Amino acid sequence: MKKALDPSELYKPCNIEHFHFKSTEELEDVDIFLGQNRATDSIQFGMRVGQRGYNIFALAPSGTGKLTTIQQLVKQEAAQQPAPSDWCYVNNFSAQAKPKAIKFASGKGKEFQDDMEQLIDELSVAIPAAFDGDEYRSKTEEIEEEYRKRELNEINQLREEAINSHIILTETPTGYAFAPVDDEDKIISQEQFNKLDKEKQQQYQKSILELQQRLQKLLKKFPAWRKETKRKLQNLNREVAALAVNHSIHDLKEKYAKHPEVLSYLEDVDDDILQHVRDFIPHREQQIVLPFMEAAQESNPFKRYHVNLIISNGERKSAPVVLEDHPNYANLLGRCDHQAYMGALVTDFTMIKPGALHRANGGYLIIDARKLLMQPYAWECLKRALQAGEIRIESLERSLSLVSTSSLEPEPIPLTLKVIIYGDRLIYYLLNLYDPEFQDLFKVPADFDDSVDRIDKESDYAKLIATLARREKLRPFGPQAVARIIEQSARLTGDAEKLSTHLRSIKDLLTESDYWAGFHGHDIVAGSDVQQAIEHKIHRLDRIREKMYENIHRGTVMIDTDNRVTGQINGLSVLQLGEFMFGQPSRITATTRLGNGKVVDIEKETELGGAIHSKGVLILSSFIASRYARKTPFSLTASLVFEQSYGQVEGDSASLAELCVILSSLAEVPLRQDLAITGSVNQLGQVQPIGGVNEKIEGFFDICKQKGLTCEQGVIIPASNVKYLMLRWDIVHAAKNGQFHIYAVENVDDALEYLTDIEAGQQNEQGEFPPESFNGRVQKQLESFNTLKQKFLAKEK
């Protein structure tokens, strides 16, 4: 019989002789992306390719440190790039709903904004001062007096002609009226007028009618004269404003002579000031000097000349790196804010706010894929911006045609940046499969490894621990502590030859170890502190495991750990609850009888078995038929079930146990109940590796320990799983003391020999097994079933 695994094969300790330091304070910092060469090369490639569409999707489970790695790499690359341009939004005087965007060199946008603020300050003083001068007053009074004299002269002339006809012109609240007078210039009353002779009455009436007609013609001239006067005043205002404005704007035009867009804007400002001069004249002057002009005036007429500097990179020395933590539609594209005014919401170009695309333009934008996809229409708006190569600010309501009210339509800004999205692998594969535009926009996947080879990497990993400890401001770690962390890292990967790159788990372990070091008053974290952190975390999470093991110990769940039973075996499974995994032994039983070659999987028949488990059952049934009934009918019906299992059964790691228990029932040979077994099997009878081997072994050990170790108990595992073993120290010590045994098998025959203590037996040239061997007994039983079947068929005939 083969021997159990040597205790040295059950755990691969970290050799602290390779550590030449007393604490991690002596170790230098390293990049935290240890062992991520593939991912870092991909990110650097994506950032340096200048063509459109070569954006990056970093795929890895959360907690692997991909965001920190991305930020570090992107900042290194951004440091070599120049600062991008500034962008301003200014008023579009011809179409105020469509503000104009102006591009400036880095830092020049702020300078232009300051220049315009200074111009506004100068004009806010110069323009009112120009209109408040004596010269302006005298000119406006002269124009107004000219109008009044002209109007008065015409009225007086008409009044003199009326007096010559013994008629006077009077003013009434509703206008002008004519009335006849006597020789003493007294108004003739109606009674007196009726006493006059008819000829005199007709003469008065004729004169009044002629005068009224002339008055009507004269009154029709007054509005034209007013308009003419108004034009003269407007021209005067423009001349006065031009004198106040031209000097300041002329200086700006000279300064920005090489910037056509700014020159054009300054021309528009100049024209707009002259066209809206009345907005800059104080109300008092309008009421006194221009009584017939509109009194409406903006609260801040200079607001439309402000500059909305949405992006300023003057203080930046390199390209921007923006991490958008809340990538919704508005935060990506920007927005136009509103303010309440007299019961309505109003907006203008000064309320345009930048989004993450604006801030990252010319640099790098980093986004969490899950957060991006969770926000309505954010993914579509990002794709649209990347495809169009421009940032078009538009409200979501307007984009979806949910509102028809007028709103701002800012001029789009050209977009040049690299987008790095990070998320789980599943998100990447789903987008790749279901979004036809995804491959056009994100051509560079950066796939982060979950683990790194342990060989020759322990020293580098120690430096990584030192780096993380310093970043988290933790106590230094001693060599024993570092060694224990490395061992636990290998345990996290489920492979003794690998180390975990899941930085969140490592940082959590460092933090909790630091806590226990402080609790015990240690200046340097010791190995015992790390061990206590590991055990305390398990204690926090293992309530369910404790209850399940208690049920086994009390006999509620039936698991035997001694004796031998035919058609019964202990299989092993793994349960994962959150971040905690533990092994769970399960009793598997089988019955066999004469039949038609079918293996009944009760789990599948009750819809509790998954597809992979059903596949494993079909494989083992094929193995039995091909080995024992190659030349004869397969006259067997077998039933398999996981006893006291009330949930889904999935996976093929129990197929070896299922095969052994069926063969036990066939051969009527009892199996050892002090051994548990795990492993999958193929059609050739070879045992294949499975997952969770450490947890499975520990689960059965804990049950055996509760019931009492007999020095015979153990676990059978696939030989290919030996390199994954990182068992707890109590199991290693038990193995050293001969209290518990781990057996590695390569095929079904090896497992049967351990379980039955009977030689499996090999076929001879005729395909026969030795009669007393286990396989010979199986073969004999199948031949017996076949003989019985033939007798039944003969009786039926």
Side-chain angles (χ1 to χ4, degrees), residues 82-302:
S85 304
D86 293 350
W87 283 95
C88 300
Y89 271 113
V90 296
N91 192 16
N92 185 347
F93 299 101
S94 59
Q96 293 194 3
K98 298 181 179 180
K100 293 182 178 179
I102 301 181
K103 178 181 179 181
F104 292 91
S106 176
K108 296 298 182 181
K110 176 62 176 173
E111 185 178 341
F112 178 67
Q113 185 186 44
D114 293 341
D115 288 342
M116 287 302 298
E117 291 295 332
Q118 184 177 355
L119 174 65
I120 291 170
D121 290 342
E122 293 176 359
L123 296 182
S124 63
V125 175
I127 293 178
F131 287 98
D132 198 35
D134 293 338
E135 183 179 358
Y136 174 75
R137 289 177 180 275
S138 62
K139 288 183 179 181
T140 53
E141 290 173 359
E142 182 180 338
I143 294 172
E144 188 68 17
E145 186 65 25
E146 180 183 351
Y147 164 74
R148 292 195 185 98
K149 285 181 179 179
R150 188 175 183 183
E151 185 179 278
L152 186 60
N153 289 339
E154 293 293 333
I155 294 296
N156 289 336
Q157 185 178 350
L158 183 62
R159 181 177 283 114
E160 289 177 1
E161 292 180 6
I163 290 175
N164 291 337
S165 300
H166 293 281
I167 297 171
I168 63 172
L169 176 65
T170 62
E171 293 186 18
T172 68
T174 58
Y176 291 97
F178 291 98
V181 296
D182 54 17
D183 294 336
E184 296 178 359
D185 292 334
K186 293 182 178 180
I187 297 176
I188 299 174
S189 64
Q190 186 66 38
E191 294 179 357
Q192 292 174 334
F193 185 79
N194 291 335
K195 293 178 181 180
L196 298 175
D197 56 48
K198 296 294 183 181
E199 183 178 353
K200 191 69 172 177
Q201 289 179 0
Q202 291 177 353
Q203 183 179 356
Y204 274 122
Q205 290 174 347
K206 180 180 180 182
S207 298
I208 290 173
L209 180 61
E210 291 177 354
L211 288 171
Q212 285 178 339
Q213 291 175 348
R214 289 188 59 189
L215 177 62
Q216 290 297 328
K217 292 179 181 180
L218 183 61
L219 291 176
K220 288 180 180 180
K221 293 180 181 180
F222 287 175
W225 296 348
R226 289 194 182 104
K227 288 181 180 179
E228 182 181 351
T229 303
K230 182 178 180 180
R231 282 195 295 271
K232 288 181 180 179
L233 288 172
Q234 287 175 341
N235 291 333
L236 174 62
N237 290 338
R238 289 196 184 100
E239 291 175 3
V240 173
L243 291 174
V245 170
N246 283 348
H247 174 71
S248 299
I249 291 187
H250 178 73
D251 292 342
L252 282 183
K253 287 180 180 178
E254 287 186 347
K255 181 176 181 178
Y256 295 97
K258 296 182 180 179
H259 203 309
E261 292 180 342
V262 176
L263 282 180
S264 175
Y265 171 69
L266 292 175
E267 291 288 349
D268 292 341
V269 170
D270 197 354
D271 294 340
D272 188 75
I273 291 175
L274 298 181
Q275 291 175 11
H276 299 82
V277 171
R278 66 181 182 84
D279 291 340
F280 309 105
I281 303 174
H283 285 285
R284 179 178 58 82
E285 294 299 327
Q286 291 194 20
Q287 292 168 358
I288 296 175
V289 182
L290 306 172
F292 49 80
M293 294 180 64
E294 296 180 5
Q297 185 183 40
E298 291 186 20
S299 59
N300 182 12
F302 292 101

Side-chain angles (χ1 to χ4, degrees), residues 444-478:
V444 182
D447 198 352
F448 283 73
D449 286 327
D450 300 329
S451 60
V452 61
D453 288 336
R454 183 175 175 180
I455 300 174
D456 299 329
K457 287 291 191 300
E458 292 184 349
S459 296
D460 293 335
Y461 210 83
K463 295 177 182 177
L464 174 63
I465 293 171
T467 303
L468 293 174
R470 274 192 284 269
R471 289 190 179 184
E472 299 298 318
K473 298 180 180 179
L474 306 177
R475 293 174 177 83
F477 286 70

Side-chain angles (χ1 to χ4, degrees), residues 584-598:
Q584 167 76 3
S586 300
R587 174 179 288 182
I588 303 173
T589 61
T591 59
T592 55
R593 56 198 176 276
L594 176 64
N596 55 2
K598 181 179 180 181

Side-chain angles (χ1 to χ4, degrees), residues 568-588:
Q568 177 178 301
I569 197 169
N570 290 324
L572 296 173
S573 60
V574 169
L575 298 180
Q576 180 162 6
L577 301 174
E579 55 183 327
F580 182 55
M581 290 175 57
F582 62 93
Q584 167 76 3
S586 300
R587 174 179 288 182
I588 303 173

Side-chain angles (χ1 to χ4, degrees), residues 589-702:
T589 61
T591 59
T592 55
R593 56 198 176 276
L594 176 64
N596 55 2
K598 181 179 180 181
V599 175
V600 179
D601 179 8
I602 295 177
E603 305 295 336
K604 178 183 178 183
E605 297 298 325
T606 57
E607 298 184 355
L608 290 176
I612 299 176
H613 177 261
S614 299
K615 176 185 176 183
V617 174
L618 290 175
I619 289 174
L620 68 88
S621 64
S622 298
F623 168 77
I624 296 173
S626 64
R627 170 178 272 199
Y628 302 107
R630 191 169 185 180
K631 299 178 181 179
T632 59
F634 189 38
S635 305
L636 166 71
T637 294
S639 298
L640 270 174
V641 69
F642 278 73
E643 302 290 356
Q644 294 182 285
S645 171
Y646 308 105
Q648 285 288 327
V649 176
E650 182 58 303
D652 63 349
S653 64
S655 59
L656 176 60
E658 292 168 331
L659 174 56
C660 292
V661 77
I662 291 175
L663 296 179
S664 167
S665 178
L666 261 176
E668 297 182 345
V669 174
L671 301 178
R672 292 175 59 181
Q673 300 303 297
D674 53 9
L675 292 180
I677 185 169
T678 183
S680 70
V681 67
N682 61 22
Q683 291 191 112
L684 302 177
Q686 297 170 330
V687 178
Q688 303 169 141
I690 44 81
V693 64
N694 292 300
E695 289 79 9
K696 291 178 178 179
I697 295 173
E698 291 167 356
F700 190 67
F701 174 81
D702 290 338

Side-chain angles (χ1 to χ4, degrees), residues 258-393:
K258 296 182 180 179
H259 203 309
E261 292 180 342
V262 176
L263 282 180
S264 175
Y265 171 69
L266 292 175
E267 291 288 349
D268 292 341
V269 170
D270 197 354
D271 294 340
D272 188 75
I273 291 175
L274 298 181
Q275 291 175 11
H276 299 82
V277 171
R278 66 181 182 84
D279 291 340
F280 309 105
I281 303 174
H283 285 285
R284 179 178 58 82
E285 294 299 327
Q286 291 194 20
Q287 292 168 358
I288 296 175
V289 182
L290 306 172
F292 49 80
M293 294 180 64
E294 296 180 5
Q297 185 183 40
E298 291 186 20
S299 59
N300 182 12
F302 292 101
K303 183 178 180 180
R304 56 180 177 264
Y305 309 124
H306 283 276
V307 174
N308 184 2
L309 179 62
I310 63 168
I311 296 298
S312 176
N313 293 307
E315 298 179 357
R316 190 179 298 280
K317 303 300 181 182
S318 58
V321 178
V322 176
L323 172 63
E324 180 51 56
D325 187 57
H326 185 46
N328 62 20
Y329 185 93
N331 287 350
L332 286 175
L333 283 186
R335 66 186 187 277
C336 297
D337 286 345
H338 293 74
Q339 66 180 10
Y341 178 73
M342 297 183 68
L345 294 176
V346 296
T347 185
D348 57 48
F349 74 97
T350 63
M351 299 184 192
I352 299 175
K353 305 298 181 184
L357 291 173
H358 294 92
R359 299 194 303 273
N361 199 7
Y364 306 89
L365 176 61
I366 305 172
I367 309 175
D368 185 332
R370 187 184 62 84
K371 292 180 180 179
L372 177 66
L373 295 172
M374 290 287 286
Q375 297 296 330
Y377 301 98
W379 172 244
E380 290 300 322
C381 91
L382 176 63
K383 290 195 299 181
R384 187 165 59 246
L386 293 176
Q387 288 168 338
E390 64 181 21
I391 313 171
R392 184 181 295 273
I393 300 177

